[in-house]
Amino acid sequence: QVQLVESGGGLVQAGGSLRLSCAASGSIFDIGAMGWYRQAPGKQRELVATITKIGSANYADSVKGRFTISRDNAKNTMYLQMNNLIPKDTAVYYCNAFIYGVVAGSGGDYWGQGTQVTVSS
């Protein structure tokens, strides 16, 4: 059983910062690409940032220069440092990862349960 658990969300004033974490646990052999997505009320889920196993990152234009994605492969954990937050960043943030299981040939796309980020003006 593989699980992704996010933490670090909360309420912050505009201009503030938050750091999200996503920890993977269970029968993990290896983790491929990971990413953060978000979904605001009444809107579709959208990509925030992705990171490859070797640390190559991509960002949505709306967060470039403010958010930084990183990962610690030894800890099976991914992070999202969010600075200079604005009210439009308010959403439920989800982590995503492609995880290879310990059984040969097993693997799949996994999602966390989400963590709420609210930015007040």
Side-chain angles (χ1 to χ4, degrees):
Q1 188 91 11
V2 173
Q3 197 174 16
L4 292 177
V5 178
E6 300 103 333
S7 61
L11 172 64
V12 64
Q13 287 188 330
S17 298
L18 283 174
R19 188 191 194 209
L20 304 183
S21 299
C22 171
S25 62
S27 300
I28 298 170
F29 176 73
D30 199 8
I31 301 177
M34 304 181 78
W36 288 98
Y37 292 75
R38 66 187 182 186
Q39 187 167 18
K43 294 191 176 182
Q44 290 188 333
R45 190 173 297 189
E46 64 175 5
L47 173 70
V48 175
T50 61
I51 186 167
T52 65
K53 185 175 175 66
I54 60 172
S56 178
N58 278 302
Y59 298 91
D61 288 343
S62 60
V63 306
K64 280 181 182 176
R66 301 187 298 121
F67 291 9
T68 302
I69 190 172
S70 61
R71 62 191 285 176
D72 184 334
N73 292 330
K75 295 181 179 179
N76 288 339
T77 301
M78 174 178 64
Y79 306 96
L80 185 68
Q81 178 66 43
M82 305 185 293
N83 297 328
N84 195 19
L85 284 158
I86 60 177
K88 284 187 177 181
D89 294 321
T90 295
V92 178
Y93 283 70
Y94 298 90
C95 69
N96 168 261
F98 192 91
I99 296 177
Y100 299 90
V102 295
V103 175
S106 69
D109 207 37
Y110 291 86
W111 291 88
Q113 82 288 352
T115 185
Q116 177 70 47
V117 171
T118 303
V119 185
S120 63
S121 57

